[in-house]
Structure formats: C-alpha cells, structure tokens
C-alpha cells in the first residue's frame, strides 16, 4: 500500500460475513504500523457486538460470534439464537482491535473469494483416475493463499488436471 499509493490515500480494510455485511473496519494510512503479516480485522462498527465462543483447547483464541439489531428473527431461529457464529477464529486486543488467526471450518479466502476446500476435493475425486485427495490452503510469505492438492492417482499431467477443474470450478 505505502509503495503504491500517495500519502493522501487511506486504505480501509473490512471484516464481514456475506449474511450481514461488514462488522469491523481497520484504517491504514502512511503513518500506520502493522506488526503482523496481515492487516488486522479492525474495530467494531456501531451497533455490532462480537463475542468469542471459546475453544476448550485454546483460551487465547475463539470463534467470533456477532450480534446486533441487524440479525433478523428468522435468521436467529435458524442459527439458534441472536449470536451468529462466523467460522472465523481470532482474539480481541486490549485496545479492542479484532485480529483473525484462521477458520474453524474448511474454508479459505483466495484473492478475496471464499473457497470451501471440501468442494475442491469433491471436484478432484470426480476426475478419472483420482482415488484420493487432500487440498490445503497454503499461505506464502506475502500472505497470498494458494490451493495445493495432493492426489493419489497414476502419474497425471497437472496441466490437464487444472484444465478439467477449470470446467467444474470458478476461476479464482
């Protein structure tokens, strides 16, 4: 950001879920110092509350649950209450900033798009000759996520596997 934009620009990072939209914002300008590989989730927007549904194994990190007046009664009934579990794992800094540390489920973000790893594995298993597979989201040094598939099959050309998957899955 600092190398590409003028000092007058401000980057706004949003944290949200597709069911409700944004619930946190983090503003970055040229004086901001971020001491982590990713931009923090941010600070809560007015009217939103976040709770951490604690993991018995890890008292430091929990699943984010969001609540507020924007949760409709039908949604509350569907999820069993007025706290929506996001699937995101994180913690709250002493200053109130939300920091994410991963996911509870098998979803990853690839270039801003939510990808369910199990769907990718299922698409691979539909290809001829593939008997077993495991897909993981690999984060590189720049924080970009790539999907890496490990497959059990006779030797196959990765170019052909990618071409066949492209017909079944979105480009991202």
């Amino acid at each position: 950001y600092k190398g590409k934009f003028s000092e007058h620009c401000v980057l706004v990072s949003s944290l949200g879920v597709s069911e409700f939209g944004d619930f946190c914002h983090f503003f970055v300008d040229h004086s901001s110092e971020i001491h982590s590989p990713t931009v923090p989730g941010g600070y809560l927007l007015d009217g939103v509350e976040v709770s951490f549904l604690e993991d018995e194994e890890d008292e430091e990190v929990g699943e984010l649950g969001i609540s507020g007046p924007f949760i409709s009664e039908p949604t509350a009934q569907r999820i069993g209450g007025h706290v929506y579990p996001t699937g995101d794992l994180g913690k709250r800094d002493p200053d109130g900033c939300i920091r994410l540390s991963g996911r509870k489920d098998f979803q990853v973000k690839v270039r801003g798009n939510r990808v369910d790893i199990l769907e990718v594995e299922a698409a691979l298993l539909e290809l001829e000759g593939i008997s077993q597979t495991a897909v993981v989201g690999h984060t590189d040094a720049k924080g970009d996520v790539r999907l890496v598939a490990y497959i059990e099959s006779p030797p196959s050309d990765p170019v052909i596997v990618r071409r066949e998957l492209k017909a079944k899955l979105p480009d991202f």
Side-chain angles (χ1 to χ4, degrees):
Y1 156 79
K2 290 180 182 180
K4 302 274 184 193
F5 295 94
S6 80
E7 62 184 54
H8 304 291
C9 291
V10 174
L11 172 72
V12 180
S13 176
S14 299
L15 181 59
V17 291
S18 55
E19 293 81 359
F20 308 112
D22 294 352
F23 60 90
C24 283
H25 284 167
F26 190 83
F27 296 88
V28 180
D29 63 18
H30 280 267
S31 66
S32 301
E33 291 185 27
I34 299 174
H35 302 287
S36 62
T38 59
V39 175
Y43 297 91
L44 295 176
L45 300 178
D46 289 340
V48 179
E49 295 177 28
V50 168
S51 55
F52 291 88
L53 313 172
E54 290 189 26
D55 184 341
E56 294 173 10
E57 298 174 16
D58 189 347
E59 296 175 10
E60 292 282 318
V61 173
E63 179 182 8
L64 275 74
I66 59 172
S67 58
F70 50 84
I71 296 180
S72 69
E73 198 54 43
T75 299
Q77 288 176 358
R78 182 177 56 82
I79 63 177
H82 286 277
V83 175
Y84 179 79
T86 66
D88 293 308
L89 297 173
K91 65 180 183 174
R92 186 188 325 251
D93 286 347
D95 70 352
C97 186
I98 305 294
R99 294 194 181 268
L100 298 182
S101 59
R103 294 277 309 167
K104 182 177 181 177
D105 54 20
F106 295 102
Q107 293 183 0
V108 295
K109 287 275 184 140
V110 177
R111 292 185 295 284
N113 298 285
R114 191 182 323 191
V115 176
D116 188 327
I117 287 178
L118 298 178
E119 289 182 25
V120 178
E121 288 178 349
L124 280 164
L125 289 171
E126 290 176 3
L127 301 181
E128 186 176 335
I130 296 179
S131 59
Q132 293 186 47
T133 186
V135 176
V136 296
H138 172 72
T139 306
D140 65 19
K142 292 193 282 184
D144 295 328
V145 176
R146 288 178 179 238
L147 296 181
V148 178
Y150 300 90
I151 59 175
E152 183 175 300
S153 71
S156 52
D157 184 347
V159 173
I160 294 171
V161 171
R162 283 189 191 103
R163 183 176 53 225
E164 290 181 14
L165 280 179
K166 195 170 189 170
K168 297 175 176 280
L169 299 172
D171 286 340
F172 55 84

